[in-house]
Amino acid sequence: LFADDTNLFVTNKDPFLLNTIANEAINSLNIWFLANKLSLNVDKTCYMVFTPRRIDCNINFKLSIAGVEIARVKSCRYLGLIIDDELKWSDHINNIYSYLLKYAGIFYKLRNRVPADVMKNVYYAFVHSHILYGIELYANTFPTYIDKLVKLNNRILRILLHQSRFCSVRYLYTSFNTLSVPDLHKYQILSLVHNTLFHSNLLPDVFANYFTLNSSVHVYLTRPHSDIHIYQANTSFGQRSVTHKGGILWNSLPSGLKSIHLSTRFKSKL
């Protein structure tokens, strides 16, 4: 719930029952809105259906509010992220790409007029901030989808540093003290793991048991206690989940790095 935005999540393995439950739930919400003198904008209300790929979910869903049918969409904006019903994140990546593309030309004109340190601040304000937001989720997709954003970021950094396309990518990121999009994705996930293990009091309650150490599962000293217990994931979606991927990434770190409690020091070493 937000001041001007309400989102409802309904789950069921039976598509027909799911449709019924969703209709009942959304109309219950509408009754509550009316009772509290709030109006629901039906024109701006929509729904998406998420389903495992192995299940055919092409039944004729129909949701309505007070007899007015609402639209089914393939993607929608939620908390600044464009979520698609297949969780491929291609729509969100394309949105970031389109937004950042205009800065390539702007930076090309500015680089000879503005000091380098100022341009670095501009990059972090207008480019890096948009790449970083939600990267734990949207970058958790196929490399082919994220590739265009990686190349655009490289291009912008080359423009700012007056470098040709033959310049080393490592030099670009080192000069701006940042990482590539795939590495930023891993960096943010590992930072989340570190916070859940050592600073869980600073996170929302939902992350309290997001990751479980082997020491909490096994009483025998058969595995490193600083490692995260990895639960079996049988699908590609499960293997790409933050809980699974975060555990795999954390366990691959050197033991000395996993023992650092201070957040700023851990990120610096990472």
Side-chain angles (χ1 to χ4, degrees):
L1 289 170
F2 294 88
D4 62 346
D5 190 16
T6 301
N7 293 273
L8 177 66
F9 297 87
V10 181
T11 62
N12 199 280
K13 292 183 178 180
D14 185 333
F16 297 96
L17 187 56
L18 177 66
N19 191 87
T20 301
I21 296 172
N23 266 311
E24 292 174 350
I26 198 169
N27 279 283
S28 294
L29 274 178
N30 190 43
I31 292 171
W32 187 90
F33 289 143
L34 294 173
N36 288 275
K37 298 182 179 180
L38 297 169
S39 60
L40 191 154
N41 192 328
V42 179
D43 293 333
K44 292 185 178 181
T45 302
C46 58
Y47 72 97
M48 281 195 296
V49 179
F50 301 92
T51 178
R53 292 180 181 176
R54 65 181 182 274
I55 296 178
D56 182 15
C57 200
N58 292 321
I59 71 165
N60 186 25
F61 276 90
K62 185 176 182 180
L63 295 184
S64 58
I65 302 173
V68 180
E69 188 171 350
I70 60 176
R72 176 176 176 177
V73 296
K74 300 290 288 183
S75 64
C76 71
R77 186 178 293 274
Y78 179 63
L79 299 179
L81 292 173
I82 299 178
I83 305 177
D84 60 277
D85 59 2
E86 294 185 271
L87 297 179
K88 291 182 177 179
W89 301 103
S90 55
D91 289 349
H92 183 74
I93 292 169
N94 290 336
N95 183 64
I96 300 176
Y97 180 87
S98 299
Y99 176 82
L100 298 183
L101 186 61
K102 62 184 178 184
Y103 285 105
I106 295 174
F107 287 166
Y108 191 82
K109 296 176 181 177
L110 281 179
R111 67 178 183 175
N112 294 319
R113 302 169 182 265
V114 180
D117 58 333
V118 174
M119 288 306 300
K120 186 174 182 179
N121 289 335
V122 171
Y123 168 81
Y124 270 92
F126 293 98
V127 178
H128 188 268
S129 61
H130 283 85
I131 291 175
L132 194 63
Y133 182 75
I135 197 171
E136 299 91 336
L137 296 175
Y138 81 77
N140 200 6
T141 186
F142 304 107
T144 51
Y145 290 172
I146 207 76
D147 184 62
K148 63 189 298 184
L149 191 57
V150 173
K151 290 179 179 177
L152 177 59
N153 192 36
N154 293 347
R155 177 185 170 191
I156 290 174
L157 289 173
R158 287 192 179 98
I159 290 172
L160 295 175
L161 290 167
H162 298 259
Q163 297 295 324
S164 71
R165 62 188 180 92
F166 301 106
C167 173
S168 166
V169 173
R170 181 181 292 274
Y171 170 77
L172 299 177
Y173 294 121
T174 302
S175 299
F176 267 65
N177 192 33
T178 186
L179 299 167
S180 66
V181 175
D183 284 342
L184 273 176
H185 167 65
K186 297 176 184 177
Y187 178 87
Q188 288 297 102
I189 289 182
L190 283 167
S191 297
L192 173 64
V193 175
H194 183 268
N195 282 330
T196 58
L197 297 179
F198 298 108
H199 308 285
S200 59
N201 59 306
L202 302 178
L203 298 174
D205 293 339
V206 69
F207 293 108
N209 299 308
Y210 224 57
F211 302 99
T212 305
L213 291 176
N214 283 327
S215 56
S216 301
V217 179
H218 300 281
V219 295
Y220 304 104
L221 297 177
T222 54
R223 302 180 183 183
H225 279 204
S226 60
D227 277 2
I228 288 175
H229 183 71
I230 306 297
Y231 294 94
Q232 185 176 356
N234 297 321
T235 65
S236 59
F237 273 101
Q239 293 167 0
R240 281 167 45 202
S241 68
V242 173
T243 50
H244 185 84
K245 194 171 187 177
I248 297 293
L249 289 172
W250 179 265
N251 292 349
S252 68
L253 294 178
S255 57
L257 190 55
K258 288 184 284 190
S259 63
I260 298 176
H261 284 242
L262 190 63
S263 180
T264 52
R265 187 163 181 264
F266 171 79
K267 290 182 178 180
S268 176
K269 292 291 184 180
L270 181 63

